[in-house]
Amino acid sequence: MLKRGLRGILLTTPLNTLPGFAWCSLGNRKDEKSTMLNLRKWLCFALCCISLLLFSSCAAPGHKADQPITLTVWHVYGGQTESPLNDMIDRFNETVGKEQGICVQVGMVSNTNSIHESVLAAANDDPGAAELPDLFISYPKTVIAMPDEDILVDYRDYFSESELNEFIPSFLNEGVLNGRLVILPVAKSTEVLYVNKTAFDRFASATGAELSDLSTWEGLYRLSVAYAEWTDSLTPDVPGDGKTFFVHDYHFNYFQVGVESLGESFFDGDRIAFGPAFEKAWKPYAEAAISGGVWLKGGYATEPLRTGDAVVSVASSASILYYSDIVTYPDNTSEKSELIALPCPVFEDGEKLVMQRGAGFCTLKSTPEREKAAIVFLKWITEPEINTEFTVRAGYMPVTQEAFDAYLPAEVEGLTEAKYIELYDAFMKTQADYTFYTAPQLETYLDLETSFERNVRLQIEAARETYSKAEDADREMLLPKLTKDCCDGLRSIFE
């Protein structure tokens, strides 16, 4: 359209008003008709040159200049204005993309929950839903919930066996569904314990709490109860206003990994087992939550730490992008704080097990040319050096063994921002001491996760209200009963 518009303007403009007319050699002025024809041919030639320049960023041998391959992508790495992946995509477009006639355009940067919903809406042709992009970030649970996963590329059709062997096996295997590799890892994360040390130090000074208490779930929940009691005591004229100490991104993850770490299966087929190990994980959690020390509202764990509504969180290592050294309280006052990161807590007699997190890219089947273009980008972003730079900036782990061995140590040594230094210190300790747990690929997984998250909060919130209304003298005897009743109520929902 731009080309047609320029051509129309140039060919209908009087010659004597065109810039440069005075110095154009027009030949024999007596043949004005021939002169005008020659000049217009010259202008058309110039127009073609302009068009080539306009589209040069996407042009390459094998592609027509005005027909580059443009790929759309939905991802979760940052925001629209500050995104490590957006920066890498710009670099790709300016280098490899420019050489091969490929442009990658970002259509959405959001969180995994929003992209999950958008992907399913598009896959199901919901009214008003956007079309699926060429590339989108997905967890296995999203693909399993799609009406037809065959619309996705099997990466084994485009990656050789030797190329796939470069990936960390556990990272790659998570993307295999029904025998097809449909999710390619580009960055992986795990769960990390974040602490607002400034707030924690005030609490520790008054109560004797220690950071080492946070290494176990039992210790963390004891501090959660103590913190609610301590903050309540600071305002004796306002009873029952104790503050939350701990927030977890996914309660479902806590129980799933916790039960598995205690030597039992969290799942019984496609259902939750609710065995003895579940009850062991439930008791300290429920007692702390009912007492007011555990955050029960929805949303990600980053927000309560940023607003001072919690002191400690367990969240994805990638959450580092969203943490700040400034806490802004609900009354609009703010405070500079020190954020530290530690390995995820474990049970005192449990295995050091931690959730493997981080989604991967799915590629939509389209034409051989578009699919190959998507693979060019994916191979580029998973090259060890490129992948290490991207993942460290985003707070993730690289996905190939060469990246871990040859590039990650040097990249970490070059870090200067305190929160990233803290994160990768926790990362290294986790990688050395823990086993990564991968959730099973169950058709019921998403429904179980969603229902569990909702119902566990409802059960605890009801119990917390009963507990808060009870007399202080009755609470000690009431708490064990409420804890058991909540567990029984939750079990009955899923049986």
Side-chain angles (χ1 to χ4, degrees):
M1 182 176 292
L2 177 61
K3 180 177 178 181
R4 289 196 299 269
L6 285 172
R7 188 175 186 275
I9 292 171
L10 290 171
L11 299 186
T12 56
T13 301
L15 294 181
N16 61 2
T17 66
L18 286 173
F21 176 78
W23 53 261
C24 287
S25 176
L26 301 181
N28 186 355
R29 285 182 168 273
K30 293 180 180 180
D31 191 356
E32 183 176 348
K33 182 176 180 181
S34 175
T35 299
M36 292 183 65
L37 182 61
N38 289 336
L39 182 57
R40 282 174 177 164
K41 288 181 180 178
W42 179 85
L43 290 173
C44 287
F45 173 76
L47 177 62
C48 291
C49 293
I50 292 171
S51 298
L52 285 171
L53 289 173
L54 288 172
F55 295 107
S56 63
S57 64
C58 294
H63 292 297
K64 293 183 179 179
D66 59 350
Q67 294 180 349
I69 293 178
T70 301
L71 304 174
T72 53
V73 58
W74 294 352
H75 73 82
V76 297
Y77 305 106
Q80 291 284 6
T81 55
E82 290 187 44
S83 164
L85 185 57
N86 286 6
D87 294 341
M88 301 305 286
I89 287 172
D90 288 343
R91 187 192 302 182
F92 172 83
N93 287 340
E94 293 165 2
T95 55
V96 176
K98 184 176 182 179
E99 294 170 1
Q100 300 197 30
I102 303 167
C103 282
V104 179
Q105 292 185 348
V106 178
M108 180 191 301
V109 183
S110 189
N111 58 62
T112 51
N113 289 341
S114 295
I115 290 184
H116 167 84
E117 293 170 359
S118 297
V119 167
L120 293 187
N124 286 291
D125 293 324
D126 289 353
E131 290 186 0
L132 279 172
D134 297 283
L135 294 154
F136 61 87
I137 281 293
S138 175
Y139 280 107
K141 63 184 181 184
T142 303
V143 175
I144 291 172
M146 292 174 67
D148 181 12
E149 66 185 58
D150 286 337
I151 65 172
L152 303 177
V153 163
D154 183 346
Y155 289 112
R156 290 197 181 99
D157 294 336
Y158 289 102
F159 283 76
S160 69
E161 199 64 32
S162 61
E163 287 174 325
L164 294 176
N165 287 339
E166 296 295 322
F167 289 82
I168 304 295
S170 62
F171 294 172
L172 196 68
N173 292 339
E174 188 179 20
V176 178
L177 281 78
N178 298 321
R180 300 172 67 243
L181 178 58
V182 295
I183 305 174
L184 189 77
V186 296
K188 299 301 285 186
S189 62
T190 188
E191 291 182 334
V192 172
L193 184 77
Y194 295 101
V195 183
N196 176 344
K197 191 171 182 296
T198 303
F200 185 90
D201 286 348
R202 284 196 292 266
F203 170 53
S205 177
T207 64
E210 296 182 359
L211 281 174
S212 59
D213 294 333
L214 300 176
S215 64
T216 67
W217 288 116
E218 291 91 343
L220 184 149
Y221 288 129
R222 282 195 298 269
L223 292 190
S224 298
V225 173
Y227 186 78
E229 293 173 349
W230 175 65
T231 51
D232 189 21
S233 71
L234 298 178
T235 53
D237 296 336
V238 186
D241 66 339
K243 305 298 183 184
T244 296
F245 180 74
F246 172 61
V247 52
H248 200 304
D249 247 354
Y250 288 100
H251 298 240
F252 193 64
N253 286 1
Y254 160 71
F255 284 102
Q256 185 177 173
V257 176
V259 169
E260 297 282 346
S261 77
L262 291 169
E264 288 187 14
S265 175
F266 179 75
F267 296 98
D268 178 12
D270 59 356
R271 304 175 67 182
I272 299 174
F274 290 104
F278 181 91
E279 294 180 5
K280 184 170 184 176
W282 175 265
K283 185 175 184 297
Y285 159 86
E287 289 178 349
I290 293 170
S291 300
V294 176
W295 183 264
L296 295 177
K297 296 179 182 179
Y300 285 104
T302 51
E303 190 62 21
L305 253 67
R306 292 194 301 186
T307 59
D309 289 310
V311 177
V312 174
S313 72
V314 165
S316 167
S317 55
S319 299
I320 197 70
L321 283 170
Y322 307 101
Y323 283 110
S324 169
D325 61 356
I326 300 294
V327 172
T328 302
Y329 295 96
D331 62 0
N332 287 326
T333 61
S334 61
E335 175 186 38
K336 189 171 179 61
S337 64
E338 179 186 0
L339 180 75
I340 64 172
L342 301 167
C344 196
V346 296
F347 284 101
E348 292 172 354
D349 57 350
E351 178 188 357
K352 286 190 172 182
L353 196 67
V354 67
M355 177 68 80
Q356 174 180 293
R357 292 181 60 164
F361 267 117
C362 293
T363 298
L364 189 69
K365 285 182 179 178
S366 51
T367 65
E369 292 76 18
R370 296 187 71 80
E371 292 175 15
K372 289 175 183 177
I375 299 303
V376 169
F377 170 71
L378 292 174
K379 288 187 176 183
W380 180 82
I381 197 65
T382 54
E383 288 179 7
E385 187 172 6
I386 295 290
N387 192 240
T388 303
E389 179 185 348
F390 158 56
T391 54
V392 170
R393 286 186 58 197
Y396 285 80
M397 295 181 286
V399 296
T400 66
Q401 193 61 53
E402 183 180 353
F404 265 100
D405 297 339
Y407 296 99
L408 186 59
E411 193 75 27
V412 171
E413 283 183 10
L415 293 173
T416 57
E417 194 170 352
K419 68 178 184 179
Y420 282 94
I421 295 172
E422 283 285 333
L423 171 67
Y424 277 90
D425 181 59
F427 245 154
M428 296 301 189
K429 291 175 182 176
T430 299
Q431 186 184 357
D433 299 335
Y434 285 63
T435 299
F436 288 109
Y437 169 82
T438 302
Q441 296 176 356
L442 304 174
E443 289 189 5
T444 57
Y445 187 92
L446 180 59
D447 290 338
L448 286 173
E449 179 187 58
T450 303
S451 180
F452 187 94
E453 289 284 340
R454 180 178 66 254
N455 284 289
V456 73
R457 287 175 167 87
L458 290 174
Q459 292 288 324
I460 295 292
E461 284 171 351
R464 179 182 287 184
E465 184 175 0
T466 301
Y467 180 83
S468 65
K469 291 179 179 179
E471 298 292 333
D472 290 347
D474 298 330
R475 287 182 176 179
E476 186 174 350
M477 295 182 60
L478 183 61
L479 187 58
K481 181 180 185 305
L482 292 173
T483 297
K484 183 178 183 305
D485 289 348
C486 282
C487 187
D488 291 342
L490 190 67
R491 181 185 289 110
S492 68
I493 292 172
F494 290 93
E495 286 181 346

